Amino acid sequence: MIELRQDNFDPWHELNRYQQNLAPGKYGACCNFVGSMRDFNEGDVVAKMTLEHYPGMTEQFLQKICDEASEKWPLLDCLIIHRVGDIQPNDSIVLTAAWSAHRDASFAACRYLIEELKHRAPFWKKENTSTGDRWVSENTPPGS
Amino acid sequence: MIELRQDNFDPWHELNRYQQNLAPGKYGACCNFVGSMRDFNEGDVVAKMTLEHYPGMTEQFLQKICDEASEKWPLLDCLIIHRVGDIQPNDSIVLTAAWSAHRDASFAACRYLIEELKHRAPFWKKENTSTGDRWVSENTPPGS
Amino acid sequence: MKINVKFFASLREQIGQSDLSISCDNAPTALQVWQQASSQPSMPANILCAINMEYVEPNTLVNDGDEVAFFPPVTGGQQ
Amino acid sequence: MKINVKFFASLREQIGQSDLSISCDNAPTALQVWQQASSQPSMPANILCAINMEYVEPNTLVNDGDEVAFFPPVTGGQQ
C-alpha cells in the first residue's frame, strides 16, 4: 500500500496498524526504513521544510515501485508512507517497509523501495534556513 | 542498548519508546529489522519453539556487535532486543535497529547486527512440530 | 491539438507558471512543448519530462490532450 | 586447578549434563577439557568452544577457574 500524508505520522504506529492486516505466522521478516527531518543540513540550521510533489504522478510512481519490488522478491506485502507539505524538524518524512518469509528479501526490497523513491519519485524539498529559503539540489541524481 | 526478553514484545512499541530518548532532529535515518516466528518451517507446521541461549555470553556478544557497528559506521544509536524461552507463532523473536544521519549507515549497520547475531550469537532453537521436537540445525554456519 | 503543461518546484518559480495550456497544429515532441510553453529555446540537460505522469525522453511525441510536465531533479537526500 | 564446564542445546542432551566441574593438574587445552568432561576422545568439527564467554579455538589453553563452554552450531535461520 502507498499513502501520502499532509500531517506528521508515527511510523511505529503505522507499522503496528498495517501489520495487523497481514496473515499471522506467515511472515518471518520485516525490514523497514524511516527517514525523518534533521534540524541541520549542509552545515546550516533548518527550521522548516516544504515538500512539493506532483499529485497523481507521485502516487502512480510509488505504486509502481511497490509492484516492481513484489516481482523481484518473494514479498508478502510492502508499504510506503510519505509526507508532503510543511514539515518540522523531527517529523517523519518517509517510511518504506517490506515483509517476507526470510530476511534477504525484506532487506533487498526495503532498500530498493527507498532508493527508487529517492532517485526518481517527483518530490522537491525547499528548506527554510537562517539565510533564507533554498531548493535542495539533487544529491542522488536519477540514473546514477 | 541490548535486551533479552522472556515474554513477547511489540517491536513498534519498543522502537517508539526507545527513539524518544534520542536527540530530536539529529537522526535522519532509522533502519530496523524484525524477525518473527512463522508457523511453518521446512515444510512442517511448527506449533511452538523454545529458544535456549548461553546466559552471560549472549548479552556480552550482542553488546560487542553493537560496539563494532558503532565503530564501523557513524551511528547515533543502535538497539537489539531478542526473545528467549518459549515462543509462539507470530511472536517477535528479534529486533535490530540503527539510527544515523543518512541512510547508508543505518542500512549497513542494521544488516551487520542481524547477520552477526544470526551467525554467531549463542542461541539454539528447538521446534515443536507434528512429528515431535527437533533442534534446528544451522542454516547460516559461523564463519560463512 | 491542445496540450496541458505543468512546471514544478524551482522551475515553476523561474518560469512563473505552474499550469498552462498550449495549442499546436502537429504532434510536437516534449522538447517542442518545452520551447513553446517556457519561451526558452533549449532545455537544460538536468530537466526531467513526463507525459501523462510517466518519465519520457525529450524527443518523445505528445498527443492531443496529453499532460506534459517539466521539473528539476528530484531531491533524494544524501545516502 | 578447577575448571567449570558447560554444554548447551543438543550437546547438553546428548551428553546428559549441562554444568560440571573438573579438576586438572596442568593447564589443559579446551580440547582436553572436552575429552575429560564429555568422555569422548574426539570433538566433532562443528562444535564451538568458548572460554569465559569468548569464542576460542580448541587448542587454546584454559586457566584455573575458567568457564569452558561447548555447543552446537548456533541456529541463525535462513537468510
Side-chain angles (χ1 to χ4, degrees), chain B residues 8 10 13 15 26 29 32 42 59 62 67 82 95 114 137 140 144:
Chain B
N8 191 28
D10 176 341
H13 175 74
L15 284 161
K26 301 310 171 203
N32 66 82
E42 293 169 20
E59 294 89 333
L62 298 183
D67 295 346
H82 206 290
L95 164 66
I114 191 69
S137 61
T140 52
S144 74

Side-chain angles (χ1 to χ4, degrees), chain B residues 111-129:
Chain B
R111 187 77 203 238
Y112 179 81
L113 293 177
I114 191 69
E115 293 305 322
E116 290 295 303
L117 186 158
K118 292 272 190 182
H119 286 82
R120 309 255 303 158
F123 292 111
W124 301 275
K125 284 181 191 169
K126 191 176 209 173
E127 291 179 343
N128 178 242
T129 74

